[in-house]
Every structure is written in C-alpha cells, then in structure tokens.
Amino acid sequence: MSGNWNLAVLPDNATQVRNYTEDTVAPRLESFRLDMDNGRLVLSLSETVAHASVNITELTLQPSVNASAAMTYQLNGIGVAENNSDSDVLVYFLGREDLNAIKYRDYLAQEVATTWLTLTSQALTDTNGNPIIAVDNGNATQVFPTFTPDTSAPVLEAWDLNLTSDIMTLSFDETVRLNSYAPSEFQWLSAETSADGEREITGRPEGDNSNIVRINIHRSPTLVSLKKDRGRCTNDSNCFLSMRRGGFMDMARKPNDADSAVLTVQNFTEDGVSPRLETFAVDINASTITLNFDEPVDSATLNATHFTVQNGPVQVPGAYLTLTGGSTWSENGLRIVLDVTQDDLNEIKRLQPLFTHRNNSYLTVQIGGVLDMNYNPLVRIPDGQGKMAAAFVEDTIRPRLEAFDLDMDGSPYMTLYFNETVFIYSVDFTCFTLQAVDSAGDNASLSYNLTGGSLTMPDRVLNSSGVLIHMDEYLPSKVYKAYSDAPAGMNSTVVIVNITLDDANEIKRLMIASSRDKARLTVRSCAMRDMSGHAMLPVEDGIGTLTARLYTDDTTQPDLQYFSLNMNTGVASLSFSETVNSYGRLASAITLQSSTNVTGDEELRYYALRDGSSRVERNYSTVVDVQIGVDDLNRIKQRLDLATSINNTYISITDTAFVDMRDNLLTPLATFEGQKATNFTEDSTAPNLVSFSIDMDQGSLSLVFDETVSAKSIVVTELYLQDLWYLFSWRTVYNLRADNHSRNESTHVTLYLSEADQNEIKRLDTLAVDAQSTFLSLTRDFITDVNKNKINAIVNTSAVAASAYTADMTDPQLINFHLDMNTHLLTLYFSETVLASSLRVNEITLQSLEDCQIPADCNARAVTAQANQLLSPDGTVLRVRIAEEDINYIKQFPDFARNGSGDTFVVLTSLALTDMSSERNSIVAINVSQALEVQSFTPDTTDPTLVSFSLDLTAELLSLTFSETVNATSLDLTELRLQGARAIPSQSSSLALSLGNSTEDFRAVVTVTLDTTFLNALKQRLDIATRKSNTYLTVAQGAILDMFDNDVVQVGFTNALLVDVFTADSVRPTLDDFDLDLDTATLTLVFSETVSSPSLRLDQITLQGEETSADDAVTLTSPVSVSASNSTELRIVLSQRDVNAIKRVPGLARLDQDVFMSL
C-alpha cells in the first residue's frame, strides 16, 4: 500500500498456484465487420478463441435480425484466414463462391441495414474448449462498427461461343446483374485489333444473376450477320470479343471498366445444325415462292428440284408437283425468293386444286434443298407433314391467246396456244369465230361463229420457231407424262378445240378456212378462263385477228357416219361425215344386210335395193334419205334375220354412191364390213285376223291374217273359243292351252289343237258343236308379225264367227282302264271326251282271260254300278264304283282280278256309251276274244271287317257277315268270343267258341254250326246270350282272312259287336239218363242240355219199378239239396223220407232192372 514493488518471481523459480479454477465461460460474438469490396470478414470476440476450432460454415448472413430461411445465406467455408494464431479477433477472407453468392442476393449485405450475422455453437471454441454462445435467427448481430460496400468493377475473364446452340457464354470475376446486359457494348471481331464486326450483339440473357452469363443469340440480327460472314468466327482463331464500359454491372450496379481488353474465344463450337424452312409465301402473279429460314442459307446452293408443291399436308395424286427447275437472285440470308419456271407454274395451275389460295398451298422439301452458311443441308419436310403457305397472292393476270393452228382434214380441229395454263372446263365454244378475212364485220358469209365443240389433248404442236414437235418436247417430260396418263382434254397451255361436224360442214359450205389465207380467228373474252377464273384477253375483229400458223386442207373422203332405217315408212336416212352431193345417185349402190359380214351364198341375209323400186332424195346435205319401195320392203320382211331390229340392220355401199363438196369419193363399205344402223324403227303396224275355220274331226284351226305373221311367235294360250257373243251371260269360253302349228311365215297359219284342248272343247257341250256355236277372240300376245308387232286384239264382245265348221266324225275308243279292289273303282280312259250320261255299265264285262268265248270259263261278270255311283262328269276319264255284289263275286275266284297281270280284262259293246259330238259317235266295241287288259291294278289291301252277326240257339247256328268275301276255310273259331255287354272289364268275362263246322266256300257270309259242348257252356252263363241285349261278339285279329289274305279287323272286348238277329233256344231239354245211389241217397239226372238248377221241381219226378207201369212207384218230395250250378247234370240228395218210401216198395229199386223214372 506504500508503493513497494513486489519481489520478482523469476521463470526459473516460478511459484505454483495454490488453488486453480479452469475457464468455463463460453466466448461470445461482440461484433463483426464486413468489407464487400475485398471480401474481408472480421469477428470480434469476448475472449481469445482457438483458431483451429473455427468452422466458418456455421456462420450465416441474413438481411435482418429475424429472416426467413430463404432469405439467409450460410457460408460454404471456401476462403482464407488472415493468420492462424489464437486471438479474440478473427479475420477471414471470403472465397469467390461465397462472395458471388452474397452479391447475387441483392437484398443481402448491400448496406449496414441489410447485413446481420448468426452463428451456431459449433462455429468455434475458446482456448479451453468452451463453445461460443450461439447467435440465433431472431437475435442476429448487425454489422458494426464498419461495413464497406462493393465498389469494384466486374471483370470479364473469358467467353465461349457455340454456333450450334446459338449460345454465347461470358465468365466474370463476380456476379453481375443479368438485366444490365448492354448489347451495344459488345462486338465480335475477326482479329484482336480489327473492327470489322457490328457494334452490337443482340441476344437474350438466360438464367439468373451470376458470374457466368448465357446469352441466347438465336436468330439475332448480329448472329445472322455473323453467319453470313465467312471471315469471322468460323473457328477459334478468327473469333474475338470486345466489351466496352457498361456491358454489364455487378450487383452493386458498378459497371465494368472502360475499354476492357479484347478477348479471344476460349471455347468455340461451329454451326452443326441444319437450317429449317420456317414459312413461305406464294405470289402466283410474280411466279415466286419466298422461302423464310431459321438461319442464313447460301442462296447459291438452292436446288428447286428438291421442293414439291402440293394441295395439303399429304400428297394427293393429281394435286402435287415436284418442281423441275427454278432460280433465285436473292443474297445469302434468312429469306430466299425462288423464281418458279413458266412450265412449272403452268403445271401448278393445271393441277387443280393446287396453289389457288393459301389453304391449298403446301410445300414439302427433300434434304439438301439448300445449305446454310456452314454447309449444313436443309431439314427435310416429308410428305404427310407438308407446310402451309403463310401468305398467298393469287393470280390476277388475264391469259392471252398467242397463236393457233387449223386442221380441216378429217375431223377439223384448232390448236390454241396460250401464255399460261387455262381451265379447259371454262371453254365456251360459241366465243370463237373463224373468218375468211381480217375484218369480217357483220358479213355472215365471211365469218362463222362456232356453235359447240369438244377438247382433246394434243400430240404434236408448233414450237416458237414454227417447227412441228412432239408434245413431250414442248412440255417438260414429267408434265407431259402427267398429261398422257390423264383423260383427254386436261388443263394446259395448249388446247385442241374439235370443231363439231355441223360447224365444220357449215364452214365448208361458206368456203371459210378453205386455205391458210382464209383461216383467221377472233375470240371473245368469254372463250376461256385461266385456272384462277380470269377471262382471257379478247382477239378482236380487225385489230388483233390471228392467222393460222399451220393449216391443213380437207383431202379426206366422206364417210358414212351412221344410218337409220324406219320399217314403217320405208325410209333409210344416211348421215355422212360431211356434206355430200346426192344428185344423180342410184339406190342400187346400197345393200342392206343382217351383219357386218355376209357372203353371196347367204341370200336370206342381205338385200340390194333396186332402182325401179327405191330412189335417192336429191340435195346437198350431210343427211340423205333413201325411199325404199313397197316391193323392196316386202322382200326385206321375208328375210327373217334382216332388218327386224337394230342388231341385224347393217348397210354396205359403193364408193360412187356419193361424193363430198370437193368431189372426194365416198369411203366404200364392202359387204364384209357392213355398218350397223344407229337408229332403227321397227315395223309397228299390228297384223289383224281376217277369218278362221275349225275342223273338230282333225282338231285344227285355220287362221287367215292381213299380213305375214311369224308362226314361231304364237302363244296359243292367248286364243279363246266361245259359243256365243258376250252379250249372253250364259256363254261358254275356252282358253286354248297347247298346240302344234305350221312353222312357215305366211298369212295363213294352221293350229293343230292338243288332245287335251280337243277333249276339253268337246266336253263343253255348248261350244264348237257347229258353226253357230264357234266364235274366236284373242289378245295382242297371241301372235306377232315378222317384226314382232303384236296382233290387234279381238275382244270377246267382238268375237269372230267361224267361216267354216267340220264336225267330229270319229268314234271314241276305250284306251285303257284301272281297277282298284280297295275302293271298288273302275276307271275308264277314252280316246276323247265321252258323254257320261250315255254310259251303260251293264254293257261292260270284266273277265279273267283275254280270250273268253264261253263266259263261264273265265268267270266273266257283267258290271253293275251301285246306285248313283257314276263318279265322273263328261270327259276322257269316267269312274264307276262297282256294286258290292260284283266285287264279292269277283273275289270268289282265286284266278280273277288277283294281281292284275293276266287275270283282269274288260270287254264292252258299242252300246256302252257315245262321244260328245252332235253325231253322238258310239264307242268302238271290244269283243270277248280280244279283251283289253287292265293297265294299272290296285289289289285288295283292305282288311275285312265283321259287319254283323246273328245267333240262333234253337238251330245252333252262328252267322257272320263280313264287309267283303272271306275265306271260310281260314276261320279260327277259338278267336271268336261271346260276351254279355259291349264293354267288359276283361276278356275273362267272355266265352270263347269251341270247335264247330262252318261253310267252306268263299262268301261274305260265313255260317257256323255250333258245338254242343260250347252250347251247354254258353247256356250255363245266364249273363250271355239269353237275349239280344246281352249278346255281343268279339273277333281277334287274324280270326279269318279275306281272299287277299288280309286279316280281319279286330273287334275288342271293350267295343264288342251287338248281335243283329238273336233267336233264343226254343228246344226243350230231354232227360237222357239218371243214376240212383241209395247208399248216399243221391239221384243224378243227366239232360240233353244245360238246365236251370233252381227250376227243379222234385215232386214232378216219379221212380217206378217198371218202364211202362206206375204200380210200384214213388213220387219224390222235397230234396235235402240240389247242385247249385246250372249244368247238363243235376245231383240231388234225397230226403230220408223219400229213401224210405222207395225202400218200402218191394218191386222198386231192388235191382237196376227195376228202376225207371217218369217226370
């Protein structure tokens, strides 16, 4: 306290601490300073910190005390410390990356207010390892005491140029503002000291603020200029960049220094991208296509043949054209104007619809259509992706006729030469006028206005030198090929107008165009339009009249073009290729024939006109009429294959028949090259029926017509016979069905009626029985004349009466017959219709042999018919149902009508029937020695049926009646049963017949003598056959057969047949025998038939000792019992009383000789 200094403690005798407390206080950031000009960051700390512990990446700059994470920047640690010693002040120089990143953020570290720092506890430690106190967001430390903003100008360090991607890349020493790019301060140079480039590099900076800037220079004017300049920036040795002051500013808006050094390109990439056609425009008036590319192209490399014009994205046949040539005067650049050749332009105009407006104007391009300035070929535009024109200027220029040729030989025509393609469908032939002089005015004899025409494609044309050349020489071969493959008359610059025959003949008549001097042409603007619809420029009379360049005179013989023939009027009209002179011409030079080629030996196929019959009309014309005479006309009609239709109407003609106005002989047509008619009028006059006659004996109709008719055309079903006029309502009409007739063509035709028609007419008993009942009507379809004209119909109200009548005088005949043993039908077939009511059946006899002199030898039987059993009306077939008696008679004989082969014949007398004729012709008789054998025979296949039966119990007979004759020998009685009702539950309730005797002949009725045993059994059944109402019979199938071995139809027990006649048993039974047994007191009575047990009256029975005496006799009394069942035997048990009574009589029942009975 007195100011004394302490004693020194030297290093070599240091004093050890008595108590030590280590440092545990964390260091803290007191303040920080930032210099953005040199990137110096100074941290002032509360104590010394360990330099080795510093981690700069734990420091974050932010623009405010509390900032969002997006607004902060964490240092990346790439920097340099000022020294490496521990200290309470740390100095750190930020790396370029951190510095540029901070500068990039123009909201950060621009001034004191935007400079704040945070750090984590990991940022550093003090020398004792205590981590620094963290400075968190929200409590950031603001820069203090000093902040130095960025004041250094940015420096361009390097640059790259990529002409493939069109990108220029600038590398600066610090971040620059992208929007500060000043194109006018940049310049490309070919050398470091040259000044040959534009003083501006236009482009679009891409990306964001950075020290590396990409400038997109695609399609910039400067780039276009650069690419056009083959002496600058074609490689890295001739490419330099000059950047003047203000080219860019850094983030502190400090511009680069003035007159920066010129830098050579560091990385250079030449242009390797092919140019693209971006748009194109069409100007049809100027014949140009303007091509716009995405980069400069070399105009000298343009190849027009690689371009195709088309009317849509996809090529359509006939609507596209690959250019054949073209040129350009354009300089190298983005736009090239292609001059289209005149030929291509005309072809484009021809190929409608193509390049007529923007919507049908498309281009496709093959690769290499043009090269860019670095010789990259143009990108292909393939078919299917055609590019549409961006602009279109349509054709507004009117077409002009430049010259024409005229050919008057053969088929006259004009060849017209236009300066551009014209639309052929716009032609108006009436706007063309041929005239004999330059100025014809209104003089009709010196000019002729066409009335029509047609167009064709030329084959040869005159070139500009007047030389005739082929069309493929005049037009490009590709264009000509398109023409030649297309239909005649396609749009073109060359048009052929075919002059009509009428116009040509009139021109010749007026002597216009008879030489080249007289072949002149004027045209109104309405004659033709171009492909854009513009009317052509007129060629006016007296001003611009054109004279034919090439003229061809008429030296062609006239031809017969066509002819027509009218067979009604007999006029043949001949039409020629040109006007002919018919004065003094002869008809005999003309021959009509049936085909192109006929020969002299085919007389019926041609006919030469005769001068005495036919004549030629006289005039000067293209049409001449020949009047065919009546005689010639009839001779022609006789030839059925000649001039009946257009298909067999031809003409041949000699060369002297006619001449044209220049005395050229007619081109002849020989008989082997006949010309077919182009028009033919058939004979349309209908034939008429004049009269007719009928022959009913021959079955013919003879018809007479007013002209020759074609017998082949007859349709007999269109012919009707009728008995009276239509006015009578009860008339009879018959429509013919078939015939045979004469085949020659004549006015007379004979129809031979079919057998069916004859018979039907005869059947109709009021029709054609005489001339007064025979009339004829017909339809138009009945017959035609030789030219197929249908006959005039004769309606039934105007029917024609027969002019002659021949009656039927022929006797009818039986042709064959059929016998049906099932239906009993006899069917008779006659040669003609017979009168059914005249039939006498008893005049018809059936027999079993063909030759039967003695009827009994062949079982002959005259046929009788059942009542009302004539089943047919008048006709050729009569059906008779034979009486049952006759059928059964026939069936008796095994050799008669059994199978129809050799055992069935018929004979008849002439009285059997007559035909329908008024003469009533009798049938031709068939005698017994030449009987007619059956043609078809139906054997009996019908099973017989039991029709009825009778039972006579008195006579003990059963009589069976069948539907037909049966074979009695086949009867099996055991298959017959009696029952007491129509229907019984079972067959066991019925009683079967036993053996008996039956008739053994062949009849429909079979009688059976019943067996006694059966009868007794039957009589035992009180429920069967005691009266009619309980007498029914059943028959088993096969119980009996008919004569054709058909089984009898079964009669079952559920539907038994009731007896028809029943006779009860009226015969009294007799006592046949008796037995007496006194041991058993039994008396047995035996009767002749079954007796009723209940009916027994024992008191009526007496036993006696003698046969004839009743002295020793006992009359019985009531029995003890009697057998209960009915039977032929009754067993009686006597009472003891009666037994005793018997025993008491001495002369009774002692021996069998002394026992007798009376009752």
Side-chain angles (χ1 to χ4, degrees), residues 886-1100:
D886 288 344
I887 288 295
N888 284 327
Y889 171 81
I890 292 170
K891 288 182 178 180
Q892 293 181 60
F893 303 101
D895 58 351
F896 190 9
R898 188 51 53 95
N899 55 40
S901 176
D903 64 2
T904 309
F905 297 85
V906 70
V907 297
L908 52 79
T909 72
S910 62
L911 299 177
L913 80 165
T914 67
D915 67 8
M916 302 294 296
S917 171
S918 58
E919 302 297 323
R920 292 295 187 263
N921 302 303
S922 297
I923 192 164
V924 176
I926 301 175
N927 61 54
V928 294
S929 63
Q930 295 179 325
L932 180 64
E933 186 174 12
V934 70
Q935 185 180 53
S936 61
F937 178 83
T938 303
D940 179 12
T941 58
T942 304
D943 292 335
T945 60
L946 178 64
V947 177
S948 66
F949 78 98
S950 63
L951 180 62
D952 189 336
L953 291 178
T954 296
E956 299 180 351
L957 294 176
L958 175 65
S959 181
L960 306 171
T961 301
F962 293 93
S963 59
E964 60 175 300
T965 299
V966 293
N967 185 350
T969 62
S970 68
L971 179 62
D972 182 355
L973 284 174
T974 62
E975 297 297 329
L976 304 178
R977 302 180 75 91
L978 286 172
Q979 59 189 55
R982 180 177 298 279
I984 59 176
S986 68
Q987 200 175 44
S988 64
S989 299
S990 63
L991 181 63
L993 274 66
S994 59
L995 296 176
N997 297 318
S998 62
T999 55
E1000 295 186 358
D1001 53 0
F1002 306 131
R1003 295 284 188 274
V1005 179
V1006 177
T1007 301
V1008 179
T1009 301
L1010 299 174
D1011 175 73
T1012 300
T1013 301
F1014 166 74
L1015 286 171
N1016 286 328
L1018 175 63
K1019 291 176 181 179
Q1020 291 179 19
R1021 299 288 296 269
L1022 298 181
D1023 59 333
I1024 301 175
T1026 61
R1027 57 188 180 278
K1028 181 177 181 178
S1029 62
N1030 69 351
T1031 305
Y1032 289 85
L1033 183 68
T1034 64
V1035 181
Q1037 186 174 5
I1040 195 168
L1041 306 176
D1042 68 8
M1043 300 304 293
F1044 289 81
D1045 294 333
N1046 298 305
D1047 291 338
V1048 69
V1049 176
Q1050 178 182 0
V1051 179
F1053 64 86
T1054 61
N1055 193 27
L1057 181 66
L1058 178 66
V1059 68
D1060 188 45
V1061 177
F1062 177 80
T1063 303
D1065 180 12
S1066 62
V1067 178
R1068 299 175 70 180
T1070 60
L1071 180 65
D1072 288 344
D1073 211 346
F1074 74 96
D1075 298 327
L1076 179 61
D1077 187 342
L1078 291 177
D1079 282 339
T1080 60
T1082 302
L1083 173 65
T1084 301
L1085 305 179
V1086 180
F1087 294 94
S1088 61
E1089 63 177 299
T1090 299
V1091 294
S1092 172
S1093 173
S1095 71
L1096 177 67
R1097 293 176 61 187
L1098 197 60
D1099 60 356
Q1100 298 297 313

Side-chain angles (χ1 to χ4, degrees), residues 100 103 150 152-155 172-176 210-211 250-251:
N100 283 329
K103 291 180 179 179
D150 179 18
S152 300
V155 177
F172 291 90
D173 66 339
E174 65 173 304
T175 299
V176 295
S210 175
N211 63 319
D250 64 11
M251 299 304 293

Side-chain angles (χ1 to χ4, degrees), residues 169-223:
T169 304
L170 306 178
S171 297
F172 291 90
D173 66 339
E174 65 173 304
T175 299
V176 295
R177 288 183 176 274
L178 204 64
N179 59 8
S180 68
Y181 175 57
S184 60
E185 303 305 324
F186 290 85
Q187 183 178 14
W188 283 313
L189 306 173
S190 62
E192 188 173 1
T193 58
S194 67
D196 52 358
E198 296 79 0
R199 296 193 60 83
E200 180 177 27
I201 299 179
T202 56
R204 183 181 69 258
E206 294 180 342
D208 209 342
N209 301 332
S210 175
N211 63 319
I212 299 176
V213 178
R214 286 167 49 90
I215 308 295
N216 189 329
I217 54 176
H218 180 63
R219 302 199 61 182
S220 69
T222 316
L223 180 62

Side-chain angles (χ1 to χ4, degrees), residues 1102-1114 1147-1148 1156-1158:
T1102 300
L1103 293 175
Q1104 56 192 56
E1106 295 182 7
E1107 180 179 1
T1108 59
S1109 174
D1111 291 339
D1112 297 321
V1114 174
L1148 176 63
F1156 294 89
M1157 181 181 288
S1158 62

Side-chain angles (χ1 to χ4, degrees), residues 133 201 220 336 356 386 656 707 722 738 740 796 845 999 1144:
I133 296 173
I201 299 179
S220 69
I336 300 293
T356 58
T656 58
E707 67 169 297
Q722 56 191 68
N740 184 18
N796 47 22
T845 300
T999 55
R1144 283 196 297 266

Side-chain angles (χ1 to χ4, degrees), residues 625-678:
D625 288 341
V626 178
Q627 182 64 57
I628 302 174
V630 174
D631 187 54
D632 280 350
L633 200 59
N634 286 330
R635 289 171 184 262
I636 291 169
K637 288 182 178 181
Q638 291 175 7
R639 291 158 168 79
L640 297 182
D641 293 329
L642 176 61
T644 60
S645 71
I646 195 170
N647 291 323
N648 64 1
T649 304
Y650 291 76
I651 192 172
S652 57
I653 192 168
T654 68
D655 60 350
T656 58
F658 298 95
V659 295
D660 68 6
M661 302 302 293
R662 303 293 292 264
D663 289 332
N664 293 312
L665 292 176
L666 180 69
T667 301
L669 293 172
T671 56
F672 59 80
E673 55 183 357
Q675 182 171 315
K676 186 177 181 180
T678 53

